[in-house]
Amino acid sequence: MSKILIKNIKSLLLAGEDLPRYKAGAEMENLNTIDNAFLAIEDDEIIAYGKMEDWGGITDWRDLEVIDADGKMVMPAFCDSHTHAVFAKTRESEFEDRIKGLTYEEIALKGGGILNSARKLQTMDEEELFQDAMVRLEEMMSYGTGAVEIKSGYGLTVDAELKMLRVIKRLKEASPLTIKATFLGAHAYPPEFKENHQGYIDLIINEMLPVIAEEGLADYIDCFCERNYYSVEEMNQVLEAGIKYGLTPKVHVNQFSIQGGVAAAVQHNALSVDHLEEIDDQDIEALKGSDCMPTLLPGCSFFLSIPFGAGRKLIDNDLPVALATDFNPGSSPSGNMQLLTSFACVKMKLTPNEAITATTLNTAYAMGLDKTHGSISLGKKANLIITQPMESPALIPYSFGANSAETVIINGKKVK
């Protein structure tokens, strides 16, 4: 049994026993702060916390590690609810193409983008994919990420999609991170199905999904609903098939255009709708009254020079917002959740408190982990960040590019 006591915490963030599953609207500003606090961990769970004057002391000091957090914040570790962290190779040549004037869509239409990653992944062996992904996950942990969702979608053949999902399953077993797997076979159409969309959808439904269900390879099903990719009608087919196999929808939608995919995703009880760089009043109305989490990916907006999601508008309409990295080789090659808070504050006009809520409590909900992650509560997973000394949590987004995490604790163990 391992035990850690963190004492003299300047501020304990998102702490309490009555926090909601997620926060929406004006409530996102409230970080439920306890000043001059302590927190106790036993094995991988939070067993006590509160103000220092209420600490009753430790009766058993054996094997107890005491951390003095004087001047420092303690907050829940980040939950990254949208990534493509298993991939074959980086795509810096496309980065140069965009600098020279080509758009992401133009690069994709000439065989780049997702299809480029798929070609590389199809020829890469599972062990190399696994080892490379482990390195990425280690780096993400160093910035304070404690849970991550990873999608397939760079396979686009039966064998390659299953290979990706089997790698993700291995990562679940090998990494201290809590990992959720998403089947994104409907990420693009392989070249051989360019004129036969239904043929590829049939492959997803009849050949991929049965094996995925049999081997327990995925928690969620996803689809890229976008012009030049999947129509709303095609997305509906994919989601309905996944639901029959027990997979909950989480969808890519509204990255470049508005197709009506948000309302369709809500009708299918999607846990989240992700991207939303484009959004209109009809989409906002569709989200109101639902339990679907709008998830914005500002790293993608920054890297592709496309519009940033309307985070301020969503919150002002009393909706929740989650922020995730979209870590992938083509449009967001960074897994740094701290950097996202900077983008959200500067470009989306979220406050620092809202950005922290959006990367912890709300992203835990967007991963189906709200009962175990995302806040400081008794019995929750001891996934924590002890920050550098700071006067306010606003220093995290303010210090863009810096690592404000002095210590990272995952499953009750220090990993940094």
Side-chain angles (χ1 to χ4, degrees):
M1 181 180 294
S2 62
K3 293 173 286 188
I4 296 176
L5 171 67
I6 309 172
K7 66 177 185 177
N8 299 325
I9 302 167
K10 180 180 175 64
S11 294
L12 189 61
L13 309 182
L14 287 166
E17 296 306 302
D18 57 354
L19 269 63
R21 298 178 71 191
Y22 60 83
K23 292 191 174 194
E27 185 57 24
M28 286 183 64
E29 178 67 18
N30 180 6
L31 289 185
N32 300 91
T33 301
I34 301 174
D35 293 329
N36 189 29
F38 77 94
L39 185 147
I41 300 166
E42 192 169 285
D43 290 334
D44 64 347
E45 287 188 0
I46 297 167
I47 62 164
Y49 64 91
K51 297 186 76 67
M52 280 298 293
E53 58 260 37
D54 297 329
W55 173 45
I58 297 287
T59 57
D60 184 358
W61 288 84
R62 291 173 297 178
D63 302 316
L64 176 69
E65 179 179 1
V66 179
I67 299 174
D68 192 340
D70 187 31
K72 304 165 187 175
M73 311 274 174
V74 173
M75 59 180 281
F78 298 116
C79 297
D80 193 345
S81 62
H82 183 129
T83 84
H84 306 256
V86 173
F87 58 84
K89 299 292 180 183
T90 54
R91 290 176 8 209
E92 56 268 38
S93 62
E94 294 179 10
F95 173 60
E96 293 187 74
D97 286 340
R98 285 200 307 279
I99 291 170
K100 294 172 183 175
L102 290 181
T103 67
Y104 180 85
E105 290 178 281
E106 287 169 339
I107 291 168
L109 288 171
K110 69 170 192 170
I114 296 164
L115 295 180
N116 184 5
S117 283
R119 285 191 299 272
K120 293 173 178 176
L121 186 135
Q122 288 162 11
T123 61
M124 194 167 178
D125 68 62
E126 184 178 311
E127 183 61 27
E128 191 174 1
L129 282 171
F130 170 78
Q131 294 296 340
D132 286 356
M134 280 293 288
V135 172
R136 296 181 197 114
L137 296 183
E138 292 283 341
E139 182 181 14
M140 294 166 76
M141 272 195 295
S142 74
Y143 286 99
T145 293
V148 61
E149 179 258 20
I150 307 175
K151 302 178 188 293
S152 71
Y154 288 140
L156 303 184
T157 67
V158 175
D159 289 345
E161 283 294 312
L162 294 175
K163 176 169 64 176
M164 286 193 77
L165 289 168
R166 287 169 182 145
V167 167
I168 298 169
K169 189 173 184 178
R170 286 182 62 190
L171 293 170
K172 285 185 178 186
E173 297 164 355
S175 172
L177 291 170
T178 302
I179 296 174
K180 290 288 187 118
T182 298
F183 171 48
L184 179 57
H187 199 189
Y189 285 102
E192 61 270 30
F193 289 97
K194 185 177 181 181
E195 306 300 329
N196 180 19
H197 288 189
Q198 190 59 48
Y200 183 63
I201 291 172
D202 289 345
L203 203 65
I204 289 172
I205 294 172
N206 299 324
E207 297 194 36
M208 298 185 197
L209 277 169
V211 179
I212 290 165
E214 182 181 353
E215 296 186 23
L217 295 177
D219 305 290
Y220 303 111
I221 187 157
D222 199 343
C223 178
F224 189 14
C225 182
E226 185 53 77
R227 66 188 178 201
N228 301 319
Y229 293 90
Y230 287 76
S231 69
V232 173
E233 293 74 21
E234 291 166 342
M235 178 185 76
N236 288 341
Q237 277 195 73
V238 172
L239 298 187
E240 287 164 11
I243 290 167
K244 288 178 183 177
Y245 283 101
L247 304 181
T248 300
K250 282 170 59 75
V251 301
H252 287 59
V253 66
N254 287 34
Q255 182 173 5
F256 303 110
S257 62
I258 296 171
Q259 306 286 320
V262 171
V266 170
Q267 289 167 6
H268 284 93
N269 297 313
L271 182 58
S272 69
V273 283
D274 300 18
H275 272 295
L276 305 182
E277 287 88 352
E278 303 290 340
I279 196 166
D280 61 16
D281 290 341
Q282 287 74 27
D283 293 328
I284 288 175
E285 288 305 312
L287 289 165
K288 287 182 177 179
S290 78
D291 285 320
C292 183
M293 179 61 68
T295 301
L296 307 180
L297 311 174
C300 177
S301 297
F302 168 78
F303 197 69
L304 295 184
S305 296
I306 61 175
F308 282 79
R312 182 78 269 141
K313 184 175 183 179
L314 289 164
I315 293 172
D316 289 346
N317 273 274
D318 203 31
L319 286 166
V321 167
L323 298 169
T325 64
D326 194 20
F327 188 16
N328 76 80
S331 60
S332 188
S334 172
N336 183 347
M337 289 287 280
Q338 293 183 45
L339 186 59
L340 287 198
T341 66
S342 302
F343 292 155
C345 293
V346 174
K347 304 300 290 187
M348 296 177 173
K349 304 305 178 186
L350 270 66
T351 68
N353 285 8
E354 290 169 341
I356 289 170
T357 300
T359 50
T360 53
L361 187 71
N362 285 6
T363 40
Y365 174 85
M367 292 178 68
L369 293 175
D370 48 285
K371 292 181 180 178
T372 54
H373 294 66
S375 66
I376 308 292
S377 303
L378 297 178
K380 278 201 168 184
K381 191 73 73 174
N383 284 8
L384 306 164
I385 298 169
I386 304 175
T387 71
Q388 306 284 351
M390 58 180 63
E391 291 299 314
S392 160
L395 187 69
I396 297 172
Y398 169 83
S399 304
F400 75 96
N403 191 347
S404 296
E406 182 176 278
T407 303
V408 178
I409 297 171
I410 305 296
N411 300 329
K413 295 181 174 62
K414 290 195 293 185
V415 298
K416 180 194 176 201

